[in-house]
Amino acid sequence: MAKTGVFDSDPTVMARATTELKKELQRLVRAIIDDEDYSTETVDQAKDTLLALRELKLRKGSLSMKLQDTLSCPQEFRCPLSKELMRDPVIVASGQTYDRPFIQKWLKAGNRTCPLTQQVLSHTILTPNHLIREMISQWCKCQGIELSDPVLYFNEEGITEADRDHFLSLLGKMSSGLPEQKEAAKELRMLTKRMPSFRALFGESLESIPQLLRPLSEGKSQTGIQPELQEDVITTLLNLSIHDNNKKLVAETPMVIPLLMEALRSGTIETRSNAAAALFTLSALDSNKALVGKAGALKPLIDLLEEGHPLAMKDVASAIFNLCILHENKMRVVRDGVVGVILKKITNRMHVDELLTILAMLATHQKAVEEMGELGAVPCLLSIIRENTCDRTKENSIAILHAICFNDRTKWKEIREEEKVYGTISKLTQNGTARAKRKASGILERLNRALNLTHTA
């Protein structure tokens, strides 16, 4: 029987060892099957032989992936990035050839240049290099090496050449007549929802997103935008923006934010909701927060929030909150009237939890705090603390109250009357979250200090 420990790395020796092990395994298995009184020693030997085969298979796989460690491989067959024998050679826009998984990793990291030439790539489509692939295959046959099938790992996103061809065909239809545009837009919406691979395909070329948006940019200047077509295209944009590697590309495509703003103003309610959701998703990147804010997208978001359609409220609130993490956008939403809009909504007890989160964030902005006080936020917030059972909502309410009261001394009278009748803030110091207790205690300390000064006077 062949040795079951460490095997020689020579392909010929490994092939002979595999044959011997298989013969030995056949003998042992036959002995177990034919002899009812087989020994446990025979079973152990069969197990050891299987383990030896497994070790040999793993070593053979490792050899096929890293041939340069054991064999002299022609330099032109090695990937410039991995320095290993290429299994799936592809050509980038600069004309250089790389192994697909390694150049994909390079591109996914946000690089838009050729690693060898540093040339800026006009697109990121990877074209199979069939000539090099065939030359590598012939060389491996001569060396007695089994080259693993690239289809098994063809693309980390699960993309095949058929997928890519279909994708390009659908994008081509977006420049055709209205029926073809509608059909293609609906299918792209469906594919980008169900298959991450189709989201990734949009990142391979700088022209993909403009092609997708062409019916909206052209339709506006011609016969007007078709509502159904607009909904499918905007929803596809939302699906694309979910893909982390697309966020920067999508937001920086010049026509994207203006078309999302147009959708917020004039689309079906589902289109408007999905446009808000797309802005929320894109704003995960700080650079995108700045782009969206500078483009003026906060005003249509606030207008949609004011309309108060139930289907859109959560997406709009999420987008505004995310965008306001950036200080410059806080100034913009305050200027555009968000404080008054939110106070009306929470007074009517609409989406109180989500909207209070935005107000709590704006409580660090002086102008926002002044507006809250002027627009009657204090009694509204006190009533929410009394009525609401959500700890987070109470915490946000008392944090906003703390900011208002410490900014405007005239509000202390309202707080004093509230404590006399309900003891709202005192109760919060007993049963609130840690942050709520701190804010409530701060208000009470200031209130007591003011009372003591009054009595002394």
Side-chain angles (χ1 to χ4, degrees):
M1 180 175 139
K3 186 179 178 182
T4 58
V6 179
F7 294 97
D8 194 315
S9 293
D10 182 82
T12 307
V13 174
M14 291 173 73
R16 281 203 303 266
T18 300
T19 302
E20 290 178 22
L21 284 168
K22 286 181 177 179
K23 287 180 180 178
E24 180 68 3
L25 184 60
Q26 283 179 329
R27 184 186 68 77
L28 292 166
V29 170
R30 195 174 296 114
I32 294 169
I33 293 171
D34 294 342
D35 187 1
E36 291 185 2
D37 194 30
Y38 60 86
S39 66
T40 56
E41 184 180 352
T42 306
V43 175
D44 289 338
Q45 286 176 355
K47 187 171 108 177
D48 290 341
T49 307
L50 277 171
L51 289 172
L53 273 170
R54 182 177 183 276
E55 183 182 343
L56 194 57
K57 183 69 174 174
L58 290 173
R59 179 172 287 273
K60 188 177 180 183
S62 175
L63 182 66
S64 68
M65 292 175 64
K66 297 187 176 183
L67 285 170
Q68 76 280 9
D69 292 339
T70 55
L71 297 170
S72 179
C73 160
Q75 192 63 34
E76 61 270 26
F77 295 167
R78 296 175 188 263
C79 173
L81 289 171
S82 68
K83 311 302 181 188
E84 298 176 6
L85 182 75
M86 293 185 284
R87 293 180 293 165
D88 191 7
V90 291
I91 306 169
V92 298
S94 65
Q96 299 296 325
T97 296
Y98 300 91
D99 203 4
R100 186 184 292 273
F102 297 98
I103 190 62
Q104 279 181 335
K105 186 176 180 181
W106 168 267
L107 295 172
K108 282 182 182 179
N111 298 301
R112 291 278 166 176
T113 56
C114 171
L116 271 182
T117 66
Q118 299 304 307
Q119 176 184 338
V120 176
L121 299 174
S122 58
H123 61 78
T124 57
I125 296 172
L126 305 177
T127 306
N129 191 330
H130 296 297
L131 176 61
I132 290 292
R133 166 72 185 172
E134 181 58 30
M135 290 170 67
I136 291 172
S137 179
Q138 290 298 325
W139 180 82
C140 286
K141 282 180 184 176
C142 292
Q143 299 295 323
I145 299 299
E146 182 183 348
L147 190 65
S148 55
D149 188 352
V151 173
L152 297 177
Y153 71 102
F154 177 60
N155 190 301
E156 290 179 9
E157 303 285 355
I159 299 169
T160 65
E161 285 304 317
D163 289 335
R164 187 172 280 104
D165 290 343
H166 186 46
F167 167 73
L168 294 173
S169 170
L170 291 172
L171 283 184
K173 288 182 180 179
M174 299 303 279
S175 301
S176 302
L178 184 60
E180 291 84 1
Q181 289 178 343
K182 283 185 170 182
E183 178 190 349
K186 193 164 291 296
E187 188 165 0
L188 283 168
R189 173 181 179 172
M190 182 263 298
L191 288 170
T192 52
K193 177 182 179 181
R194 288 170 39 199
M195 298 173 65
S197 58
F198 271 81
R199 297 174 208 156
L201 279 169
F202 276 88
E204 291 191 355
S205 170
L206 296 176
E207 292 304 309
S208 296
I209 295 172
Q211 281 182 276
L212 169 71
L213 300 177
R214 188 162 291 143
L216 302 190
S217 55
E218 292 178 352
K220 188 178 177 184
S221 59
Q222 295 172 6
T223 58
I225 297 173
Q226 295 288 322
E228 187 180 347
L229 179 59
Q230 183 189 36
E231 183 179 310
D232 287 335
V233 171
I234 294 298
T235 306
T236 301
L237 265 184
L238 167 60
N239 295 340
L240 297 186
S241 65
I242 293 169
H243 196 79
D244 285 343
N245 293 327
N246 286 340
K247 292 186 192 300
K248 187 174 176 65
L249 176 65
V250 172
E252 292 182 358
T253 299
M255 62 184 78
V256 166
I257 296 175
L259 286 176
L260 287 173
M261 290 167 61
E262 177 66 27
L264 285 171
R265 297 187 187 100
S266 64
T268 64
I269 191 58
E270 185 170 352
T271 300
R272 300 172 83 189
S273 178
N274 287 344
L279 289 172
F280 163 69
T281 309
L282 291 172
S283 64
L285 298 182
D286 286 344
S287 59
N288 288 353
K289 289 182 180 72
L291 277 175
V292 173
K294 287 176 183 175
L298 285 159
K299 184 63 169 71
L301 282 170
I302 294 168
D303 292 342
L304 184 51
L305 182 70
E306 188 169 22
E307 285 184 36
H309 196 290
L311 187 64
M313 287 288 281
K314 285 196 174 182
D315 287 323
V316 174
S318 298
I320 293 173
F321 175 83
N322 231 24
L323 289 164
C324 285
I325 292 172
L326 193 71
H327 180 71
E328 291 83 354
N329 286 339
K330 288 182 184 178
M331 294 189 288
R332 292 184 177 108
V333 293
V334 173
R335 180 197 63 205
D336 291 336
V338 78
V339 173
V341 171
I342 290 177
L343 282 174
K344 283 181 186 176
K345 297 300 175 191
I346 63 173
T347 299
N348 295 324
R349 298 303 188 261
M350 294 180 63
H351 294 274
V352 173
D353 299 343
E354 294 93 338
L355 296 179
L356 275 175
T357 304
I358 299 174
L359 275 192
M361 176 181 284
L362 294 176
T364 60
H365 189 279
Q366 179 68 23
K367 177 66 176 171
V369 174
E370 290 173 5
E371 278 195 37
M372 290 178 208
E374 292 166 4
L375 295 172
V378 172
C380 175
L381 293 168
L382 288 168
S383 65
I384 288 172
I385 294 173
R386 288 198 306 271
E387 299 165 8
N388 204 288
T389 58
C390 175
D391 286 341
R392 179 67 176 168
T393 297
K394 291 184 178 184
E395 180 184 307
N396 283 328
S397 297
I398 196 67
I400 299 164
L401 274 172
H402 187 277
I404 294 172
C405 292
F406 278 74
N407 179 70
D408 184 354
R409 289 183 301 175
T410 66
K411 305 304 176 188
W412 290 106
K413 185 178 178 181
E414 291 179 75
I415 299 293
R416 191 182 303 120
E417 293 302 316
E418 176 75 19
E419 281 304 290
K420 283 181 183 177
V421 178
Y422 300 106
T424 303
I425 298 175
S426 298
K427 290 174 184 174
L428 201 57
T429 61
Q430 302 298 317
N431 53 31
T433 65
R435 180 168 176 251
K437 287 177 180 178
R438 284 198 309 275
K439 297 294 184 182
S441 296
I443 291 174
L444 289 179
E445 286 171 15
R446 178 67 177 268
L447 185 62
N448 290 333
R449 198 181 314 140
L451 285 172
N452 289 335
L453 286 172
T454 303
H455 292 153
T456 304

